[in-house]
Amino acid sequence: FETSCVYFQEDETHLWQSDGCRVGPMSNITHIHCRCDHLTKFAGFVPPNPLNIREAFSANILENPTGLILVLAVFTSYVMGVIWARKADRKDIAKVGQMMFSYTHTHCQYLITVYTGFRGNAGTTAEITLVLYGSQYESPPLTLRDDSRCLFEQGSVDSFLVSTEEPLGVLTHMRVWHNNAGFSPSWYLSQIVVANRATKVTTYFLSNRWFAIDEGDGKIDRIIPTSVEKDITKFHNLFLAKSSREMNDDHLWYSVAGRPARSPFTRVQRLSCCLTLLYSTMLTNIMFFGRGDDFDPPEPLRFAGLKINPPISL
C-alpha cells in the first residue's frame, strides 16, 4: 500500500507534481497527512495499480478464465439487447405523429395532446372519445383514432388536431370515455393538454386516474375540469409528473425500457452508455483492486445478533 502527496501545477502543463510535498507521520487508514514547503492546491491520493495491456493479452487466459468469461457474457448480453432496442426504437418512431381530422374551420383549431401514464398495463386497446366544453359552446364527440399507428400505449404522447364550427370560448371542462373494447381496454390517463391555435392559450386537464372497470373505482366515463395553476403546482401532481419523467427518460438504466417515444435519445444509445459505464467501472475496480489489503480490517459491527464487517475506507 502506498500513498503520496501532490500539488497541481497551474501552468501550461496542468499536471499533478510531488516536488516539495511528502507524506507526514500522522497518516493512517482514513487520513493522509501531507507536508508541503509551499502554498498551492495539493491533495493526497492512492496510486492505482499499473495496467500492462500487452502483458494481459500475452498471459495464459485459460489459467483464470473468469474475467474473460464475464467480459464476453456482458458483451453478448449487450449485442442481444441492441437487437431488441433497435426494434423498439423503430416501433417508437411509428408511435410519434399528429393526426389531423378533416376540417374546414381553420380559425377554430385545437391541438389535443393525450398523455398515457407509465403504470403497468396503462395502455388501452379501446376507442377514446371526448367532448370539450367551453364558456360559449361545446364540441361534438371527438373520437380519437389514427389507423396509421398504435395509440394510447403505455407512456405514449398522442396529438390530434381538430376543429369546431364555432369558437368554444374559455374551456371549463371535458368529458372523456372509451368503449371498453379490445383485449386490454383498461386505460390510465395522466393528463390531456388542449392548445387553442388561434388564441395561443393552453389548457391543462389533469387526471392521473384509471378508466377501467377492473381498476380504481371502475369508471370508464369521467368529467375532468380544467386545472388551474394551484392544481398543477400541487406536490402530488408535481411529484407524479417529475418522478415519472425522470425515471423513464433521465434514469440511464431504467430508461432503456421506459424511454418516451418522443425522446431523441434512442434505446440503442442508452444501452451503449450503460455498457460503457459498466466496463469503465470494471476497469476502475481493476486499477484499485487490493490497494487496502495491507490494513487490518476494522472491528465488525454487531447489532441485534447480526455481525457486519464494514469495508475498509481508503
Side-chain angles (χ1 to χ4, degrees), residues 108-152:
C108 304
Q109 295 179 6
Y110 296 89
L111 180 62
I112 302 175
T113 306
V114 182
Y115 293 79
T116 301
F118 285 96
R119 296 195 178 188
N121 300 319
T124 182
T125 56
E127 192 173 77
I128 307 299
T129 306
L130 60 83
V131 176
L132 298 174
Y133 294 87
S135 58
Q136 300 177 9
Y137 297 97
E138 65 182 62
S139 72
L142 304 171
T143 300
L144 308 179
R145 62 164 65 96
D146 188 349
D147 297 333
S148 63
R149 59 193 175 98
C150 296
L151 299 176
F152 313 118

Side-chain angles (χ1 to χ4, degrees), residues 19-238:
D19 303 337
C21 291
R22 64 183 185 275
V23 179
M26 291 187 292
S27 299
N28 55 35
I29 186 174
T30 59
H31 296 79
I32 298 177
H33 177 210
C34 292
R35 302 183 65 177
C36 297
D37 57 11
H38 50 81
L39 296 177
T40 184
K41 298 178 181 178
F42 65 93
F45 74 100
V46 179
N49 294 314
L51 297 178
N52 192 327
I53 304 298
R54 181 179 300 177
E55 181 180 347
F57 279 108
S58 61
N60 187 1
I61 299 177
L62 296 179
E63 294 180 358
N64 186 14
T66 305
L68 178 62
I69 293 175
L70 177 61
V71 172
L72 293 179
V74 171
F75 187 77
T76 302
S77 301
Y78 165 74
V79 173
M80 297 175 62
V82 165
I83 297 174
W84 167 84
R86 182 56 181 163
K87 292 181 179 179
D89 284 336
R90 291 176 178 174
K91 291 182 180 179
D92 288 340
I93 295 175
K95 294 179 183 179
V96 178
Q98 177 178 295
M99 179 60 184
M100 296 185 181
F101 290 91
S102 58
Y103 54 85
T104 57
H105 307 280
T106 58
H107 60 287
C108 304
Q109 295 179 6
Y110 296 89
L111 180 62
I112 302 175
T113 306
V114 182
Y115 293 79
T116 301
F118 285 96
R119 296 195 178 188
N121 300 319
T124 182
T125 56
E127 192 173 77
I128 307 299
T129 306
L130 60 83
V131 176
L132 298 174
Y133 294 87
S135 58
Q136 300 177 9
Y137 297 97
E138 65 182 62
S139 72
L142 304 171
T143 300
L144 308 179
R145 62 164 65 96
D146 188 349
D147 297 333
S148 63
R149 59 193 175 98
C150 296
L151 299 176
F152 313 118
E153 295 189 346
Q154 179 181 352
S156 67
V157 180
D158 303 293
S159 298
F160 307 88
L161 185 62
V162 301
S163 66
T164 57
E165 294 183 359
E166 298 291 341
L168 303 180
V170 178
L171 297 180
T172 57
H173 61 283
M174 71 164 54
R175 179 190 172 195
V176 185
W177 71 93
H178 65 70
N179 61 358
N180 202 42
F183 63 90
S184 180
S186 300
W187 183 43
Y188 187 85
L189 173 62
S190 177
Q191 65 176 341
I192 296 178
V193 180
V194 180
N196 189 322
R197 299 288 293 271
T199 62
K200 309 299 181 183
V201 174
T202 301
T203 307
Y204 295 85
F205 298 85
L206 300 181
S207 174
N208 294 319
R209 303 189 71 176
W210 283 99
F211 286 68
I213 60 175
D214 56 350
E215 296 283 356
D217 56 8
K219 293 183 179 180
I220 60 174
D221 190 334
R222 297 185 184 277
I223 300 295
I224 305 177
T226 57
S227 300
V228 297
E229 184 177 358
K230 182 179 179 181
D231 298 326
I232 299 174
T233 56
K234 280 184 178 179
F235 173 78
H236 175 72
N237 294 326
L238 288 177

